[in-house]
Amino acid sequence: MAEAVIRVVGLGKSYETAAGLFPALRDVDLCIEAGEFVAIMGPSGSGKSTFMNLLGCLDTPSSGDYFLVGRKVAQLRKDELARLRNRSIGFVFQGFNLLPRMTLADNVALPLVYAGIEREQRRQRARHELARVGLGDYADALPSRISGGQQQRVAIARALINSPQLILADEPTGNLDSHTSEEIMALFTALNREGISIVLVTHEPDIAAYAARQVRFRDGRLVSDLPTPTQVLAAC
Amino acid sequence: MLRAMLGEAWQAMGANRMRSVLTMLGMVIGVGSVVLMMAIGQGAQYAVAQTISSMGSNLYILISGSTSAGGLRSGGGGGPTLTVADAEAIAELDGVSNVAPVQQGTQQLVYGANNWSATVVGTTPPYLDARAWTIVSGYPFGDSDVRAATRVALIGQTAVDNLFGSDDPLGKTIRIRQSPFVIVGVLGKKGQNLDGRDQDDTVIIPLTTAQRKVFGNPFPGSVRLIMVQATSAEAMPAVEKSMTALLRQRHRIREGQDNDFYLRNLAAAADSAAETTRVMSLLLGAIASVSLLVGGIGIMNIMLVSVTERTREIGIRMAIGARQQDILAQFLLEALMISVAGCLIGLFLGIGGALLTNALTDMVIVISGASILVAFGVAAGVGIFFGYYPAHRAAALDPIEALRHQ
Ligand SMILES: Nc1ncnc2c1ncn2[C@@H]1O[C@H](COP(=O)(O)OP(=O)(O)OP(=O)(O)O)[C@@H](O)[C@H]1O
Ligand SMILES: [Mg+2]
C-alpha cells in the first residue's frame, strides 16, 4: 500500500517560557493516509496549532520524528523545507493571511513565483485556481474589497496552486459565520474527493463532522482518534 | 522571477511613497554633492594643469639679491647682482636648453588715443622657447634686434584687445615711455599664471632696448632676472647644482657666505600647486562622500523599520515556500531600488548644479564620465552594503515566529 502522507512518532514540543520549559505537545503518535480528511479538535491551549505548525514544517519538534510522505523532516535543510511548503503542503489559516497590497490573482500566484514558474503561466494558473473556488471574476481585486468567506476561498486557491498532496487548515472557519463556513467546508469536501489529504483544526463539532476521522487533543496529548480505522493501526 | 521581484519592490516603494521619497533624498543629496564636488575639484585640477603647461616646463628663475631671514635683500652695491654675461655662461652648462636674461616692469602703453598698462618684458629670443610661447601672427625678434637695440615689440592678447580692439596690431606703432615700438608679432593666448596674473597682458621687447629706452638701467649689463630652462625634469637637480656652483664662482662668493642670488624652481612650484588642487578635490569628494554615507545609513534605518513592520508578510511568504535567499533578494532589491533611484535623481541634480555653477561663476567645471560612473557604482554599493543587514535579518527570521507576529 502507498506511503502514509503523515506519520509522527513520539512527537513532542516544549516552549521556553519565563516559568521554564512548557510542554505544549507530548508524545504524539499519529498516522494519516493519502486521501484522508481528518479533523483535529480539543480545548483551547491543548496544542492543536503547535501540532499543525510541526506538520507544516514551520516549526521543529523538541522530540520524536515526523515523516512526510516517508521523508524524515528533521534531516532536511531549510531550503528543502521551503520547497516542501511550496510544493507538497498547502496552508489555510484562520486569519486568511493574504498580502493586502497584492491583487487576488497575484496572491494566488505567489507560491508559483517561489517555484520559478514563468509569468504568463502564473497568471493563467492563478485565474484557473480562482475560478475553481468560484472567484473567477475577482482576479484584479484587492483582498480588502472582498468578504471574509471570499478571502478564505482565495487563501484556499493559493494553497492549491502548486497541486499539493496535503492541505493543513488551522481553524479555517474560525472567523466566518455558519453559512459561509458551510460553503468553505463544501469546498474542502470537494477537494478531498479529488484525492487531496486534509487536516483541519476546529472547535465546532458540526464542522468536524465533515471529516471522516476526528482526532482529539488535551493538554498536549492525543486522547482520542475516532473512528480509528483498523487498517491505519495496522499500517503504523 | 526577477521581473516579479522588481515589480514587488516597486510596489513596496509605492506603498509608502512619502517614506521612500524621504529615504531617497539622502541618496539624492549624497550623490548630487559628490558629483558637484568632483566636477568642481576636477575643474580646479584642469585649470591648474592648464596654467602649468602655459608656464613652460622645467623652468628656473634666478633672481638678483640674496635670501636671508628678512627675505630678499639686494646684494653688494644695491644694483642687480646677475649679469647678461652670467646668463651666457649658464647657457654653456650641460642640461640647459634655454637661458634668457629678463628685465621687466609695468608700463603705460599708448596707441593713438588709447592707454593701457601692461607688463613690459625686456629679454632675448630664447625667452619665447623657454616659456613655450607661440607667435600667432608676424614673427619674433632675433639676436640682431637685441644687439642693435631695435624698437620692435611682441604683444599679448589682452594688451591687443585693450589697445587695438578689433584692429590688426601688426605693423602698428605703440609708445612706451615716449619711445615708439613697431609691433612685429602677436603672442598666442596663455591665460593666468599660478599667482592668478594674466600672462597675456604683456609686451615683449629686446632686452637692450628695454634697458636703454624703458627702464633706464643705471647698471649696464646687469639684470634682475634670468630664466633658465633645463632639457628635462631629470636634468633639473644637476642643473641646479652646477648653476649655483658656477654663479658662486663667477660672483666670487667664499665658502660659508650666502648666495647673492635666489633660485626659484617653477617646476616644483607647479608640482605643489597641482598637489594642492589634487588634495583639495580629494577633500571635496571625501566631504561629499560623508553625505552619501549618511544617505546609506538612512536606507538601512528605513529598511530595518520596514522589515519589522512586514514581519508577518515575511512569515506568510515563508509559509508558502519562500526560501531565505528569496526573502534576502526581495529586501536587497528594495534597498537597491531606492538607492539607485536616488542616485539617478542625484546625478541629474549634481550635473545641473555643476552646469549652473559654470554658468554663474568663472569656475572651471569638469564633468567626467568616470565621476558619474563612480557615483553610480558607489550608490549601488551603498544600497547593497546598507541594505544587506536588514535583508539578512528578514531572511533569518524563523517562519513560525514571523507568522505569529502581529
Ligand atoms: N511560542 C510560544 N511560546 C510559549 N508558549 C506557547 C507558544 N505557543 C503556544 N504556547 C503555549 O502552548 C500551548 C498550546 O498552544 P496552541 O496554540 O498549540 O493551542 P491551541 O490548541 O491551538 O489553542 P487554540 O484552540 O486556542 O488555538 C498553550 O498553552 C500556549 O500558551
Ligand atoms: Mg490554535
Side-chain angles (χ1 to χ4, degrees):
Chain A
M1 81 175 270
E3 194 86 57
V5 175
I6 287 170
R7 188 157 69 90
V8 299
V9 182
L11 202 68
K13 174 74 185 177
S14 298
Y15 290 112
E16 299 213 29
T17 62
L21 274 188
F22 175 79
L25 206 61
R26 292 184 246 200
D27 200 25
V28 174
D29 296 319
L30 187 68
C31 202
I32 297 174
E33 296 297 331
E36 275 200 87
F37 191 160
V38 180
I40 295 182
M41 300 191 68
S44 187
S46 58
K48 305 183 297 292
S49 295
T50 302
F51 186 58
M52 290 296 269
N53 293 336
L54 292 176
L55 294 188
C57 306
L58 288 169
D59 210 352
T60 46
S62 314
S63 59
D65 283 318
Y66 170 28
F67 300 88
L68 181 65
V69 202
R71 293 176 79 187
K72 193 169 178 177
V73 170
Q75 285 170 346
L76 300 179
R77 286 182 291 111
K78 284 183 175 174
D79 280 11
E80 293 171 315
L81 291 177
R83 196 184 151 87
L84 276 183
R85 292 194 293 263
N86 188 233
R87 315 280 169 95
S88 306
I89 304 172
F91 277 103
V92 180
F93 304 91
Q94 179 176 1
F96 320 137
N97 277 348
L98 299 177
L99 296 187
R101 284 196 301 271
M102 285 188 176
T103 64
L104 300 188
D106 285 345
N107 262 292
V108 171
L110 197 55
L112 296 181
V113 172
Y114 296 122
I117 305 292
E118 285 307 311
R119 179 185 162 85
E120 211 29 63
Q121 226 199 325
R122 287 203 305 263
R123 199 178 284 185
Q124 268 178 20
R125 280 169 65 176
R127 278 170 199 277
H128 175 254
E129 244 16 274
L130 274 174
R132 190 169 164 192
V133 298
L135 288 171
D137 297 337
Y138 293 81
D140 296 322
L142 288 176
S144 55
R145 306 307 295 267
I146 59 176
S147 72
Q150 287 172 321
Q151 287 191 46
Q152 195 60 299
R153 286 165 182 275
V154 174
I156 293 171
R158 180 179 67 187
L160 289 175
I161 196 151
N162 256 332
S163 315
Q165 296 153 280
L166 174 65
I167 288 203
L168 299 175
D170 193 349
E171 299 190 44
T173 59
N175 287 1
L176 303 176
D177 62 66
S178 61
H179 176 68
T180 321
S181 297
E182 277 166 31
E183 284 177 4
I184 294 293
M185 289 317 294
L187 189 54
F188 276 125
T189 307
L191 293 173
N192 181 240
R193 286 214 185 93
E194 289 174 29
I196 300 174
S197 315
I198 296 176
V199 179
L200 177 145
V201 173
T202 183
H203 281 288
E204 294 159 63
D206 49 339
I207 295 293
Y210 282 87
R213 179 178 170 195
Q214 296 177 11
V215 171
R216 207 167 277 278
F217 280 77
R218 185 183 303 271
D219 297 330
R221 291 183 201 278
L222 196 158
V223 292
S224 84
D225 188 356
L226 291 169
T228 311
T230 47
Q231 77 271 27
V232 172
L233 277 180
C236 294
Chain B
M1 179 92 177
L2 186 68
R3 221 175 114 181
M5 294 185 76
L6 277 174
E8 279 191 35
W10 177 252
Q11 259 191 337
M13 249 171 73
N16 223 322
R17 212 160 292 148
M18 186 66 175
R19 186 200 276 179
S20 303
V21 165
L22 285 176
T23 311
M24 232 180 266
L25 203 58
M27 289 308 288
V28 171
I29 292 171
V31 171
S33 54
V34 165
V35 168
L36 182 60
M37 290 304 142
M38 277 173 88
I40 290 175
Q42 289 186 334
Q45 277 179 293
Y46 174 81
V48 166
Q50 205 66 353
T51 302
I52 289 170
S53 74
S54 79
M55 277 179 356
S57 50
N58 310 326
L59 285 183
Y60 284 110
I61 294 181
L62 288 162
I63 304 164
S64 287
S66 60
T67 46
S68 64
L72 269 181
R73 71 178 155 77
S74 46
T81 54
L82 296 169
T83 64
V84 175
D86 285 340
E88 284 162 359
I90 291 168
E92 301 301 318
L93 289 173
D94 278 348
V96 172
S97 54
N98 286 297
V99 179
V102 175
Q103 189 82 34
Q104 67 180 29
T106 303
Q107 292 292 340
Q108 201 74 11
L109 313 181
V110 182
Y111 172 68
N114 294 345
N115 264 289
W116 183 250
S117 138
T119 304
V120 172
V121 178
T123 188
T124 57
Y127 182 83
L128 292 181
D129 289 335
R131 300 285 321 272
W133 218 331
T134 55
I135 304 284
V136 290
S137 64
Y139 55 90
F141 57 76
D143 289 327
S144 58
D145 291 294
V146 178
R147 275 196 300 278
T150 54
R151 285 179 290 209
V152 290
L154 305 173
I155 189 165
Q157 294 290 346
T158 306
V160 169
D161 292 345
N162 286 288
L163 280 180
F164 296 96
S166 55
D167 290 354
D168 181 9
L170 269 192
K172 304 274 167 36
T173 301
I174 57 170
R175 287 179 176 275
I176 308 172
R177 283 264 181 130
Q178 314 304 330
S179 298
F181 283 79
V182 177
I183 309 271
V184 295
V186 177
L187 296 163
K189 200 167 175 62
K190 266 194 183 297
Q192 294 184 342
N193 70 2
L194 278 181
D195 307 328
R197 279 227 314 267
D198 181 6
Q199 300 180 87
D200 299 315
D201 199 8
T202 297
V203 167
I204 301 178
I205 59 177
L207 176 66
T208 44
T209 325
Q211 294 191 324
R212 282 178 212 167
K213 303 290 183 189
V214 180
F215 301 116
N217 191 350
F219 306 98
S222 68
V223 285
R224 289 217 64 88
L225 306 172
I226 298 176
M227 189 158 282
V228 180
Q229 184 177 38
T231 48
S232 67
E234 293 73 45
M236 289 191 80
V239 166
E240 186 166 339
K241 225 181 241 167
S242 58
M243 196 159 58
T244 307
L246 177 73
L247 286 177
R248 286 180 70 88
Q249 182 210 335
R250 287 180 58 89
H251 294 187
R252 297 179 218 289
I253 298 169
R254 265 173 281 134
E255 195 101 8
Q257 262 186 316
D258 285 343
N259 290 341
D260 61 353
F261 58 91
Y262 171 69
L263 189 149
R264 184 165 177 224
N265 184 335
L266 283 186
D271 284 351
S272 77
E275 180 61 17
T276 306
T277 46
R278 204 179 65 80
V279 168
M280 183 195 82
S281 76
L282 262 179
L283 226 81
L284 284 178
I287 291 170
S289 305
V290 171
S291 56
L292 208 56
L293 191 76
V294 173
I297 291 172
I299 289 182
M300 176 142 89
N301 190 14
I302 288 302
M303 290 311 294
L304 279 174
V305 170
S306 170
V307 167
T308 306
E309 279 181 353
R310 290 158 65 190
T311 300
R312 193 175 171 80
E313 173 192 328
I314 294 165
I316 295 171
R317 286 173 184 273
M318 285 176 161
I320 61 172
R323 290 162 302 175
Q324 290 193 323
Q325 70 199 67
D326 296 323
I327 302 293
L328 186 82
Q330 180 191 344
F331 282 90
L332 216 47
L333 211 62
E334 279 187 43
L336 204 59
M337 199 177 254
I338 289 182
S339 68
V340 167
C343 175
L344 280 178
I345 300 173
L347 267 182
F348 279 115
L349 289 184
I351 292 173
L355 294 178
L356 203 69
T357 310
N358 201 19
L360 297 183
T361 69
D362 56 359
M363 254 193 268
V364 184
I365 300 291
V366 175
I367 300 168
S368 66
S371 72
I372 290 175
L373 270 183
V374 165
F376 210 81
V378 167
V382 162
I384 291 177
F385 184 81
F386 288 102
Y388 185 82
Y389 175 65
H392 178 76
R393 281 248 302 236
L397 282 173
D398 186 45
I400 192 65
E401 294 293 337
L403 210 48
R404 276 201 197 107
H405 196 266
Q406 287 314 310

